[in-house]
Every structure is written in C-alpha cells, then in structure tokens.
Amino acid sequence: MSELIYPQPVKAKFFTPGMIIVSLIALNGIVFLAIRFLFGIGAVTNLNNQYPWGIWIGVDVAAGVVLAAGGFVSAAMGHIFHLPYMKLVVRPALLTAMLGYTFVAFAVFVDIGRWYYIWHPLVMWNGTSPLFEVGICVMIYLTVLYIEFTPILTERFRGKVNLPSILRVFNGLVEWILKLLDNTLGKVMFLFLIAGVVLSTLHQSSLGTLMVIAGYKMHPLWQTPILPLLFFISAVCVGIPMIIFESLIASRSFKIEPEMHVLSKIAGYVPLLLGIYLAFKLGDMFIRQSFVYMTEINKFSIAFIIEIVFGVILPMIMLMSRRVLNSPFWLFIASALVVLGVGINRINNFIIAYRPFYAKSAYIPSFGEISVTLGCIALTVILYRAIVMIFPVISLPKQDDLKELKHNRG
Amino acid sequence: MKSKIKFLSFIVFVLAITFTFTQCSHNDKEHSNDSDKASVLDDSFDKIDDSQSNSIEINEHGVKFDHTKMALSCKDCHSCQYPTKQKPCLINCPRKQLITVYHAPEEGPTLVEMNQIKGDYKPFMFTHKLHAQMANMTGGCQTCHHYNTTGPIQKCSNCHESDRAKVKNIHIPDLESAYHRMCLTCHREWSHSTDCQQCHLSKDQNPEEYKKSKIAKYQHKDHPPLVEPGKIVYQTKHSSGKFVTFQHEDHTKLFGLECKSCHGDDNCISCHDYWNKQTGNNTVKFKKTHKTFQQHHNPCSNCHTIQNNCGKCHKEQEVDKFNHSSTGFNLGTNHSHLQCNACHKKTGVFKGLNKNCTSCHNNFVMGKFDHKKTGLQLNEMHADFDCSSCHTNNNFAVSPVCNDCHDGYSYPAKKPGKLVKKK
Amino acid sequence: MDEKVKNQNPRRTFLKQFAVGTAASVGVSLIPTKTEAKFKDTQRENETRMGVLFDATLCAGCRNCERACKVAHNFPVDDIETFRDRSVYKEYRRPSPNNYTVVNEFPPSGVATFPIDVKVQCMHCNEPACASACIVGAFTKHASGAVTWNSDMCIGCRYCMVACPFQIPTFEYDKAIQPKIQKCDLCFERTKVGKIPACVENCPVGALTYGPREELLLLAKEKIERHPDKYYHHVFGEYEVGGTSWLYVAPVEFSELKFPPVGDSPAPGVTEAIQHGIFAYFIPPLALFSWLGGVMYVNNRKNKKIENEANEGEKK
C-alpha cells in the first residue's frame, strides 16, 4: 500500500463553508490586532500589573509550542530512529510544526510591548534567563524548520519555474538557486534534523523553567523544580496524538482515506509515554506532598483533576484498547483528549496556577484577546490548507490510482 | 637639623614608653622613629595629658562639662574601656542612662520659634512651657531633652544634623526627623491626625500675625494642675478577687515615687481618654489593649512580688486607705507627713519596729538633742539632766510633770526654761 | 536526505560534517558562559551596597515620599495638600507606571495604638529575579544596591513582572509605542551625584534611613533591642529572597501588613540551577546532539543494508 501513495498537492475546493467561517474568525482577529498595534496592549487585553501574561502567552505561545511538538517527535521517529511507517506523516507534521512555530513567533510579536525590538535577544544575551533560551531556541528552530521544508519547496518548483511577464528574466536565476539549495541542503540536512530535535528538547523543557521563577505566586499543585522535565515529557507525549489528530482532520476535510495502518501503529506508543508522564507527575506530587491541595475544592484542584483525568488517564486507558486504535473515530477522540489535556496543562501552568499575591480579581481573558488568539489559529488553518494545496505535503495515492481505487471499489 | 630630629625622636621615644604604660593607646606598635607618625603621636599625647590634668573639657559642641563631677559610670557614655579624645567611642544617643538636670517648666521659654529647617512649610511657634508642664507629669524634661549634660541645655542641632544628606551617623536621626518624631509620637495618638497644618503655618497665613496670635494665646496659658487621684479601683473580670484598689496617693506621698517612675511612657491619651471622654470622676479608665499577664502586672510587679500573692491585691471589695493606727501606733501629727521609709528603713519590710521613740530617734539623748526644737529652751539647771530624769521611761509622748521632783510646781506656771518659737 | 548522501562515502561525510557542527556549537557555547561569570562578580557579591530602612512605627502616612518620587522622576505632580487626602487609604494600593511608590495604611493591631503605614516600592533584591529573568538583561544590579532598568534594551515581554516576588515592575499597557517597565530605581541618578533618594530626603519623620545596608541592619536591630515591646522582632529584607536593599521594621507581623510570603531563598535560585544544569558549558545539549547523530548514523547503515539486500534480491 505504501508503495502506491506519495506526497502530492491536494486538489480540493479552497473555500468550503467551513473555511468561510474560519476566514471570518481570522478577519475578526485581524481587527483586534490592528487595535492592539494602534492603541497598545491595554486597549485589547485584560492584562494588568498583577497579571502580566494572559492567553497570548499561555495559549498562543505555551500551548502553541507544545502542540507543534509533532514536528520534532516525527522527525526523531522518522529520520533518526528510522521507523519506516513514519515517512507518511513526517511531512504533514513538519508543516504543522512550521506553521505552529510561525504562529508562536507571531504571538510573541503581538504580545511583547515593543514588537520592533523582537530581534534584541539575538544580540543581547542573558544566560540566566530561561526566556532567553526559549527565545533563541525558538528562533533557531523556526529557521531549521524552514530549512527542513525547503526540499518540499524545491520538489514542487524545480524545473517548473515560470514567473509571470517581466519577472520571466529571473526564471533562470530562481531555477539555479533552487538547484543549489536542493543539492547542498541534501548533504547537510541531517545536521538540521538533529539540531531540530535538540533545539526542541531544550526549549520544550525550558518553557517549563519559565514559570519556576514565579515561585510562591504559582499554585503548589503545579509549581515544582521538575517542571522542565514534565514539560518535555508531555511534549513528547503530545507529539504522536497531535499527528494523528491533524491527520484525521485533514483526511476528513479533504475527503481522503485516513492512513489508519500508520496511525494506529504509532498510537500504540502513546499509552507508554503517557504512563511515564503520569508517573512523574504523581511522583512529584507525592514527594512534594502537594496532594494536600486536592482536598480543598477550588478552581485549582478542579483544573488539576480535569487535566490529569481527561488529559492523561482517560486517553491512556482508551489507547490501550485495540478497538480504539482501529477505529478512526475513537482514535480521534483519544488523541484529541491528549492534545486538549496537554493544552490545558499549559494553560493551567501559565494562567490558572498563576495567582499573584496582590491581585484584586482573577484574570479573565477579554473578548479582544480571545479574538486575536482564535484569529491567529484561523490564519494558521488557512495557511495550512493553502500550503497542502500548493505543495506536496500530504501523501495520497496517485491521481489516476485514486480513480482506479474508486473504480475498483465501485 | 639632624640633631633636632634626633632630639625629637628621643622625646618621642620617652613619650611613647610613658604612653604605653598609661594604657591610653591600644596600639603600641606605632612608636617607630618615623618623624611623621611621631608628630601625630606627640600631638595626641599632649591632649591626653591635658585632659588628665584638667578634667573640664569643652566638647565639640562647645559645651563645658566636668567628667569627675558626674555621678556616672564611664560606660554610660563610652563603649570602650579607655576612651581617648581621638576615639571617644561614644555610644549612640539616646543613651541608656540619661544625664539630666531638673528645671521647673516655668524656667524655660514660653514659646520657641522653630525655624531651623527650610522646607515646604513656614516656621511655627512651639508652646514650650505648656509642653514642659505636660511632660512634667510623665518623663520630665528628658522626654525631649533626652541627652543633656549637667551644663546648659543643648541645642537639638548639636547632635541632630540639619542637612539630611550630610548625616554621617545614621543611628542619630537628622534634625527634621527628630523634631517630627517628638511631635508625632504624642500627636498621632492625641488627635489621630497627621495633618501638617495642625502645627505648621499654611501658605496664606501671615507669619507675623500668626506669631502674635500664638503669643497672645499661649503666653499665660498653663496646663491645669494635675488632680492626683487618692485611689483607683480597678474592676477585673474574675469572679473572685474582683476589685483591685490602687492607693495612688500612698505611692506618691508615702513611698515617694516620682510620676515618671510609673508614667514615664505615658502619653496624653493615657489620661485624656480621647475616644471615650470618660474623665468625670477620679477613676481614670485606660484604653484597653491586649496585654500579656506580664505586661498587665508590670506596674505592680516592678516593685512588689506578685507570684502566689494574688489575694494581696485582688479583694472582694474596695479597700480603704491604710490606717497606721491599726498597727497600734498612731502616727499623730508629728509622723503623718513622713514617708514610710523614714522609719521602715529596710526595704519591703514594714514590721517589727520598736514603738519606743529612741529606737528611731537616736538623737534623743542628753547633749545631742536641741530642746529648742520643742519650743522650750531648757535653762542651765535642766539642760544638764539626762532625758529620762524628766521623761520617765524615755516616753516622750507624755509631757513630764513638774511635781514629780518639785512639790507644788506645775506647768505652765513654772517652766524649766523659756518658751521659744518652735523650729 | 538519505537518498542524496548515498553516492558518497557515508561514513566519511558524516564524521566530517559532524565535526564541523560540533566545533560551531562549542564556539557558540563559550559566549554565554562568560557573561554569566561577569554577572556574578560585579553585581551580586558587593559589600558597598546601600539601602533604605523603613520604620513602620514612625511613618505617619503623609505621602510626602510619593510626591517627592514623582517630582524626582519628572511625573506630573499635584499640589502638596492633595497628598494629605487620607481617603486613598480606603483601598490597598500598588505601585503604578507613574507612581513608583505608594503608602498603604493598616488599622492598629497588637502593640500599635495608631494605624500602621507602610511604604511599598521595589525592594532592590540582592539577587534580583527581574535581572535574572529578563530575556535581554535589561536590568542591572548596581554596586550601590540599586536595580535599574534599561529602556534601550527592553522588548516589553513582561517576564520580569512574572518573576518578581514582590510584584513590583509595572508596564505601560496603554502605550502602543515604547511602553516602559516602570519601577523604583532607588534614585540611581540622584545617588550617582551624591544626593540621597528623593523619598528619604522628603520624609518628615525620618521613617526612611538611607545608608550602607550592613549599617542599616545594625540600626534596625538596635531599634528592636531598644524597644522590644514596640517592634515585631524581625527585620524584613535581611534574609528574605536572599536579602534586599530595602529593609523593614514594623510593630506587627509582616504578613499582617500584606508582605508577600516570599521565603528566604533567592527568587532566581532554582531557575538558575536548572539553567546551569541544562547548559553546563553546553555539554548536555552537545551530548544529546552527538547521541542522536550516532543513532541516526547506525540506523542509516542498517537501513541501507536492508535496502541493498532487497535490491539484490529484486535483481536476482
């Protein structure tokens, strides 16, 4: 079967009714983005001096980074550990990672007060700052992701460069650049692949270190010195479910057959990873004796239970069953639970657990903040759809094979 | 030149040895022949010598004081054992034991214009006499003049630097802080306000008019004299021993306690119950604060033993003033004004005194006693008698009767001398 | 990529390229190590640092310090009498972008018979979390004790606000261009020319004392020793978060005066330990890099073998 299919641009209608809704959400976000850049962060957000970070960091950046973990997990599994069946999903995962990190970088750009100084960390280094490390790693990793994506670009355009009208004179030059890229990159790509995995390991964990310095301001259910380890393990955990999640959505959206043989195979690893994560999480809880906070019922204990039960335990049990692994629907539900669970974990760590001593009222994101976050996600979705329709990302049977397949079935 | 140096170093050498022996320096390594150092050493030695021969010194603030005439231990002011002029190692003000002289409030100025600090507000007139009278009921002059030698009253600015940026010893507050702390420690409690214009002149006021009005208002104003309560009855919440009667008058008049020994830390509001305005009767109510047992009983336990002795003070009803005749010895007119310790010499013990006059009055013997004091100057004949010749059994309470010796004689027709004015 | 490398000697290429990568990474790793060392020497372990002692038993809540601070930092200032308005004490206030310091009032409790006023501003930690956390190192802990912020570096990420255990840095949320992080700078510009901080200079009762930190500690302890019944026996800032330049003495327990439960360990301690652990001379990342490289190489060879065998099998 795998011999029959290979990556190719998807042919489908771009503006489906769903996509029109997505576009409207994106437009709404853009309006609030404009307000943010014209009148300052305070004009759009509910942030204040007690709550300096809101959902733009908690959801867009923290959850964004972890949900783009599919990229490095698949790169590690496919390219480094050479699990052959990963080849099919490496490209979509890479694209998600690339778009995800672009989205993260954009969110940072929106959230920082002086967006025009976003390059400062490149020249002003502060070795003690985990944020500096995250920033540098994300910047390099984003570059690495773009480099990793170049072969797809060259594959699409090499030998087909045909610029319109006047620009036609550059055809030769562009063709030459593509050729050069294709030839040289191929030889050093392995360096970038490994670097991508190392960089991900570093910043996925350092993202956890970020909140350690908040100290007592962070609820003890989450505040622990092993936060970086927990962040890293959960990033590894969410990589595969994220690949499954988006693969299933894509196949549904483009009305193509889901590659269940690959998906259920890789999903088999997830319970083990979740188990390790759960062990660390609960072990840490018992060592620090933070379970005493579970006895009181408040938003902290409830958020923690939701995160653990629905995000870790439930999908772990589900994915141990053959029936779930073989059913696209249940596999989708289970992966979605892991994705949501880890997403909630990031939101919990960055927003719910952060309870500043002097806050007068809890932070609730404003409509503008939510609009911008949703708008950015919508833009990412639009970009994803556009790219898979232009570039060979998703593996499909050859167009004529497809017809044949349908014909045979019919 | 060379010989001069030689001579100088010789002197220095001799001096240095003396120096070491007088223990005035802690560093004997310094007596080298280096002439630069020597001159410094020489100089310091002169001064020390000077101070030893003449104990009157003039300190850096131009105040003369005589160390030897002070009833002080060196440690009251100096932290090291051998203070020198270069290193007086003075302990920080306010010193634990204070040196003060008492002045009556009327001796000081009535009003003082406070104008040493330039700031946002204009100078103001401080009602010195009124405050001195108030202080008289608590800590006395030293409440404010907390460090003063036996000499003249020192200016605050002698110790308290008037420019805050130039304060060298941060343990001594600068002048502005010192003033304001003095005022605010009481006034914050007194009026519960920190409004600057309570004292300070506002911008639209004319300073001259303000000055005049202040003078007119306060020149002859005195704090009403304090009515001392005879006794204070405290009611406790305990069912047994509900009443504690404090004989205030006895403590001041008979035991001779000064106000400040109990009221040293008191503030205006201690008496002027600002919140309750309940000062109608003699029984003064104190503001209730949460005090520990220790803090609560401190006023008594400072002198009295209170352990296992509750019933001594905690009674079922109010207690009357102590009547000395209940002990069998009527104080009469001669002894009633005396303080307890005039007779009861042993502190804390009030028992076992001999009622015999001579047990206290050891001058009631022939030759020592000046009989003029009784208003009767004995003539030559009687002056030579032993006291007991007339005063039988040395009982001076009962006047002698003439006809014990002289038949038919009777006082006052016949006198053993002549009457004089009583002393 | 594996197809592209196939026609060369894979082993030689791999080793050669790997060596280049390693050398580059080592080169990069040296720079942050150096900057770390500098940070430690000049900014933290300094004996000359100054500080301010705040005595809550003296402060009368006149708010002269608030006004003086505004004047010193060129903020718009109201008439002095407006600062006498005590109705502001009805709610607990925090520093804001144009108010580096605020005074709060607490009802009398314990041995205090009148309200307790407490000034709030940057504590100027000995080991400032903001300086440790700042992504670009825009905060500087000076030898004088002051922790200052550099507008030319700041990117406005507000991580300092997340990190600060006292929640001091404030951000100008209403500005679209050049929003600033605003906090007390211990009047760095004034102290540089020999003046004392504006708040200290303008306190009528001397509730604020500026001086060497060591000396201030002695003064604070002396105050407590001299009036043991007037003070709660603790100097806040002596050990809190590894020590702060601002020290506090008060008549009641500090938790009653809304002091945060910060503890004695320096705020950036754990984070820096983790960071130094992960980046110990860049060894752990390089080790991971080489290990992954090794794994990849071995797997590549194995795969090729299988492929070759399959190809051969096909040929046959």
Side-chain angles (χ1 to χ4, degrees), chain A residues 250-319:
Chain A
S251 23
R252 192 182 160 77
S253 174
F254 295 117
K255 298 187 178 61
I256 46 182
E257 197 69 14
E259 288 137 15
M260 283 309 289
H261 64 290
V262 179
L263 300 184
S264 54
K265 210 172 265 174
I266 56 174
Y269 294 108
V270 178
L272 176 70
L273 292 169
L274 283 176
I276 295 171
Y277 175 58
L278 191 66
F280 271 101
K281 190 109 180 154
L282 296 183
D284 168 65
M285 194 170 154
F286 277 92
I287 288 168
R288 288 186 306 111
Q289 302 187 333
S290 60
F291 49 82
V292 294
Y293 298 98
M294 299 296 290
T295 54
E296 39 197 272
I297 292 173
N298 50 26
K299 68 169 179 179
F300 302 111
S301 55
I302 292 169
F304 190 82
I305 287 173
I306 291 175
E307 174 196 326
I308 289 289
V309 172
F310 293 97
V312 183
I313 299 175
L314 189 62
M316 188 172 85
I317 295 167
M318 282 172 78
L319 289 170

Side-chain angles (χ1 to χ4, degrees), chain A residues 34-275:
Chain A
I35 300 174
R36 176 260 172 270
F37 282 109
L38 287 176
F39 303 106
I41 296 174
V44 178
T45 65
N46 270 352
L47 298 178
N48 54 42
N49 288 326
Q50 308 313 323
Y51 286 98
W53 282 1
I55 55 167
W56 288 355
I57 294 291
V59 176
D60 299 21
V61 176
V65 165
V66 77
L67 297 185
F72 95 96
V73 172
S74 68
M77 288 169 76
H79 292 300
I80 295 177
F81 293 96
H82 269 284
L83 303 176
Y85 42 79
M86 283 303 291
K87 294 261 166 68
L88 287 175
V89 289
V90 158
R91 277 191 174 186
L94 171 65
L95 177 61
T96 331
M98 191 182 88
L99 288 178
Y101 274 92
T102 310
F103 163 69
V104 165
F106 183 69
V108 170
F109 179 76
V110 171
D111 185 73
I112 64 172
R114 299 168 169 192
W115 40 271
Y116 40 86
Y117 280 167
I118 198 165
W119 51 274
H120 271 190
L122 287 174
V123 288
M124 299 167 191
W125 292 19
N126 183 11
T128 54
S129 170
L131 188 62
F132 168 73
E133 192 210 318
V134 171
I136 284 287
C137 282
V138 168
M139 280 195 218
I140 302 174
Y141 185 52
L142 191 55
T143 317
V144 166
L145 283 172
Y146 283 132
I147 292 169
E148 282 182 36
F149 194 76
T150 357
I152 300 170
L153 190 87
T154 53
E155 184 185 321
R156 168 73 176 79
F157 286 116
R158 204 173 162 191
K160 298 173 203 159
V161 176
N162 186 16
L163 294 170
S165 60
I166 309 166
L167 291 172
R168 207 170 298 163
V169 284
F170 295 111
N171 275 353
L173 182 69
V174 175
E175 188 73 44
W176 180 78
I177 292 171
L178 286 176
K179 193 179 157 194
L180 188 77
L181 275 176
D182 208 4
N183 292 344
T184 48
L185 271 180
K187 287 167 199 160
V188 289
M189 186 53 89
F190 79 99
L191 272 181
F192 289 110
L193 286 170
I194 303 171
V197 175
V198 174
L199 286 166
S200 292
T201 310
L202 288 177
H203 75 251
Q204 290 285 4
S205 54
S206 287
L207 215 52
T209 323
L210 275 192
M211 293 309 280
V212 171
I213 204 168
Y216 74 96
K217 289 193 276 182
M218 200 178 170
H219 195 274
L221 275 174
W222 287 277
Q223 178 64 286
T224 160
I226 67 156
L227 259 183
L229 184 65
L230 292 177
F231 265 56
F232 174 68
I233 301 174
S234 55
V236 175
C237 285
V238 84
I240 295 168
M242 193 63 203
I243 295 167
I244 297 170
F245 180 75
E246 66 194 64
S247 173
L248 287 173
I249 289 188
S251 23
R252 192 182 160 77
S253 174
F254 295 117
K255 298 187 178 61
I256 46 182
E257 197 69 14
E259 288 137 15
M260 283 309 289
H261 64 290
V262 179
L263 300 184
S264 54
K265 210 172 265 174
I266 56 174
Y269 294 108
V270 178
L272 176 70
L273 292 169
L274 283 176

Side-chain angles (χ1 to χ4, degrees), chain A residues 42 48-50 52-53 80 82 111 113-114 116-117 120 126 128-129 133 190 210 216-217 356-358 360, chain C residues 17 132-134 151-153 155-159 162 164-165 167 171 173 178-179 258 260 275 279 299-300 303:
Chain A
N48 54 42
N49 288 326
Q50 308 313 323
W53 282 1
I80 295 177
H82 269 284
D111 185 73
R114 299 168 169 192
Y116 40 86
Y117 280 167
H120 271 190
N126 183 11
T128 54
S129 170
E133 192 210 318
F190 79 99
L210 275 192
Y216 74 96
K217 289 193 276 182
F357 189 72
Y358 295 111
K360 281 176 184 148
Chain C
Q17 286 156 347
S132 169
C134 180
S151 184
D152 296 335
M153 296 171 86
I155 65 165
C157 72
R158 309 186 296 284
Y159 187 35
V162 174
C164 178
Q167 285 165 260
F171 180 75
Y173 285 101
Q178 269 322 67
K258 279 211 173 190
Q275 284 296 98
F279 286 99
N299 282 332
N300 259 359
N303 257 29

Side-chain angles (χ1 to χ4, degrees), chain B residues 214-227:
Chain B
K214 277 271 182 180
I215 293 172
K217 190 175 174 191
Y218 288 106
Q219 198 162 26
H220 300 294
K221 194 169 182 178
D222 291 308
H223 188 277
L226 192 68
V227 184

Side-chain angles (χ1 to χ4, degrees), chain C:
Chain C
M1 65 135 261
D2 27 4
E3 292 90 3
K4 303 274 150 69
V5 195
K6 222 188 270 176
N7 41 4
Q8 293 180 11
N9 180 352
R11 193 194 173 104
R12 233 175 100 192
T13 325
F14 180 87
L15 283 177
K16 213 163 80 190
Q17 286 156 347
F18 186 65
V20 171
T22 315
S25 317
V26 170
V28 167
S29 71
L30 286 174
I31 303 160
T33 325
K34 262 186 200 159
T35 51
E36 254 160 49
K38 200 177 100 204
F39 189 86
K40 197 152 195 162
D41 289 349
T42 57
Q43 293 165 8
R44 286 191 185 165
E45 290 146 21
N46 204 305
E47 296 301 316
T48 59
R49 58 178 176 249
M50 304 292 277
V52 180
L53 172 68
F54 176 84
D55 188 338
T57 64
L58 294 173
C59 179
C62 71
R63 292 168 62 214
N64 264 12
C65 49
E66 286 184 22
R67 185 172 189 273
C69 180
K70 284 184 173 229
V71 172
H73 294 96
N74 301 320
F75 290 127
V77 187
D78 288 331
D79 184 74
I80 192 156
E81 291 307 324
T82 59
F83 283 84
R84 300 291 172 259
D85 174 19
R86 296 184 87 86
S87 63
V88 293
Y89 291 137
K90 275 175 199 151
E91 61 173 330
Y92 183 80
R93 298 186 303 150
R94 295 292 301 164
S96 61
N98 53 15
N99 215 3
Y100 291 171
T101 182
V102 291
V103 179
N104 285 301
E105 192 162 88
F106 298 88
S109 76
V111 290
T113 50
F114 36 75
I116 307 162
D117 295 286
V118 179
K119 183 178 177 291
V120 179
Q121 76 299 309
C122 173
M123 297 291 285
H124 298 276
C125 307
N126 292 349
E127 296 187 41
C130 52
S132 169
C134 180
I135 183 166
V136 288
F139 287 93
T140 315
K141 173 81 180 171
H142 296 278
S144 66
V147 178
T148 62
W149 167 85
N150 183 350
S151 184
D152 296 335
M153 296 171 86
C154 179
I155 65 165
C157 72
R158 309 186 296 284
Y159 187 35
C160 50
M161 297 165 74
V162 174
C164 178
F166 299 100
Q167 285 165 260
I168 289 300
T170 56
F171 180 75
E172 294 177 325
Y173 285 101
D174 53 336
K175 285 201 179 148
I177 295 292
Q178 269 322 67
K180 287 182 193 144
I181 290 288
Q182 298 278 37
K183 74 164 198 69
C184 160
D185 55 0
L186 200 52
C187 284
F188 185 66
E189 295 303 320
R190 287 171 59 92
T191 52
K192 218 161 50 181
V193 294
K195 290 189 199 166
I196 59 174
C199 53
V200 180
E201 191 181 77
N202 282 279
C203 179
V205 286
L208 301 167
T209 315
Y210 180 72
R213 187 176 179 272
E214 300 299 313
E215 189 79 9
L216 290 173
L217 271 174
L218 290 180
L219 175 61
K221 286 171 182 173
E222 190 186 286
K223 280 176 183 239
I224 295 172
E225 197 187 336
R226 183 167 285 149
H227 303 289
D229 51 336
K230 217 172 123 186
Y231 289 99
Y232 179 70
H233 292 209
H234 180 72
V235 183
F236 189 94
E238 183 180 12
Y239 298 115
E240 275 74 12
V241 293
T244 57
S245 275
W246 275 70
L247 303 166
Y248 282 75
V249 285
V252 294
E253 222 173 312
F254 288 96
S255 57
E256 280 183 45
L257 304 175
K258 279 211 173 190
F259 278 69
V262 286
D264 287 351
S265 48
V270 181
T271 304
E272 286 188 13
I274 295 169
Q275 284 296 98
H276 291 183
I278 295 178
F279 286 99
Y281 300 98
F282 253 76
I283 290 168
L286 282 180
L288 180 66
F289 195 96
S290 355
W291 177 70
L292 288 174
V295 170
M296 192 174 182
Y297 174 72
V298 169
N299 282 332
N300 259 359
R301 261 180 61 160
K302 214 179 356 182
N303 257 29
K304 235 159 261 165
K305 229 176 175 180
I306 296 166
E307 240 170 69
N308 287 345
E309 274 166 18
N311 285 348
E312 274 165 30
E314 248 171 53
K315 273 174 196 169
K316 275 171 194 172

Side-chain angles (χ1 to χ4, degrees), chain B residues 15 28 31 71 88 103 116 127 129 132 191 215 324 346 375 401 404:
Chain B
L15 287 178
D28 55 0
H31 49 99
H103 297 273
Q116 294 218 3
T127 51
K129 190 180 76 182
S191 61
I215 293 172
H324 206 281
K346 211 170 166 189
V401 184
D404 281 357

Side-chain angles (χ1 to χ4, degrees), chain B residues 92-94 120-121 164-165 170-171 176-177 180-181 184-185 188-189 192 194 196-197 203 275 287 289, chain C residues 58-60 79-81 84 86 113-115 117 196 200-201 203-206 209-210 215-216 219 222 226:
Chain B
N92 293 319
C93 298
D120 296 320
Y121 291 92
R164 189 170 294 174
I170 58 167
H171 296 261
E176 189 188 357
S177 307
H180 280 119
R181 286 185 201 179
L184 282 172
T185 40
R188 269 189 96 185
E189 289 191 334
H192 245 244
T194 49
C196 303
Q197 291 182 18
K203 278 174 200 152
W275 289 281
K287 186 178 168 281
T289 48
Chain C
L58 294 173
C59 179
D79 184 74
I80 192 156
E81 291 307 324
R84 300 291 172 259
R86 296 184 87 86
T113 50
F114 36 75
D117 295 286
I196 59 174
V200 180
E201 191 181 77
C203 179
V205 286
T209 315
Y210 180 72
E215 189 79 9
L216 290 173
L219 175 61
E222 190 186 286
R226 183 167 285 149

Side-chain angles (χ1 to χ4, degrees), chain B residues 268-398:
Chain B
C268 308
I269 58 155
S270 308
C271 300
H272 295 272
D273 200 345
Y274 185 77
W275 289 281
N276 299 320
K277 302 254 184 209
Q278 285 179 333
T279 44
N281 52 19
N282 252 358
T283 315
V284 177
K285 273 191 186 146
F286 283 82
K287 186 178 168 281
K288 284 199 174 54
T289 48
H290 292 286
K291 286 178 176 171
T292 60
F293 180 88
Q294 175 93 32
Q295 286 170 331
H296 199 83
H297 290 84
N298 249 352
C300 303
S301 65
N302 277 343
C303 301
H304 301 278
T305 323
I306 59 159
Q307 267 78 30
N308 308 321
N309 215 3
C310 309
K312 184 104 182 175
C313 302
H314 291 268
K315 306 276 193 198
E316 296 307 324
Q317 70 279 314
E318 200 180 318
V319 175
D320 282 335
K321 202 174 164 179
F322 176 67
N323 186 355
H324 206 281
S325 41
S326 66
T327 64
F329 185 80
N330 195 336
L331 291 177
T333 48
N334 287 332
H335 292 90
S336 61
H337 64 281
L338 287 177
Q339 294 188 350
C340 305
N341 65 356
C343 307
H344 301 278
K345 298 281 187 201
K346 211 170 166 189
T347 14
V349 183
F350 297 98
K351 279 178 186 168
L353 285 191
N354 196 331
K355 281 177 201 158
N356 208 327
C357 303
T358 48
S359 69
C360 294
H361 300 277
N362 51 9
N363 60 341
F364 282 13
V365 287
M366 194 264 288
K368 267 196 182 174
F369 185 74
D370 183 7
H371 211 279
K372 257 197 273 186
K373 279 184 182 170
T374 63
L376 179 80
Q377 188 176 14
L378 294 174
N379 54 26
E380 276 177 34
M381 292 266 287
H382 288 86
D384 288 342
F385 287 135
D386 196 71
C387 303
S388 57
S389 308
C390 304
H391 299 279
T392 339
N393 296 332
N394 275 348
N395 187 356
F396 301 99
V398 185

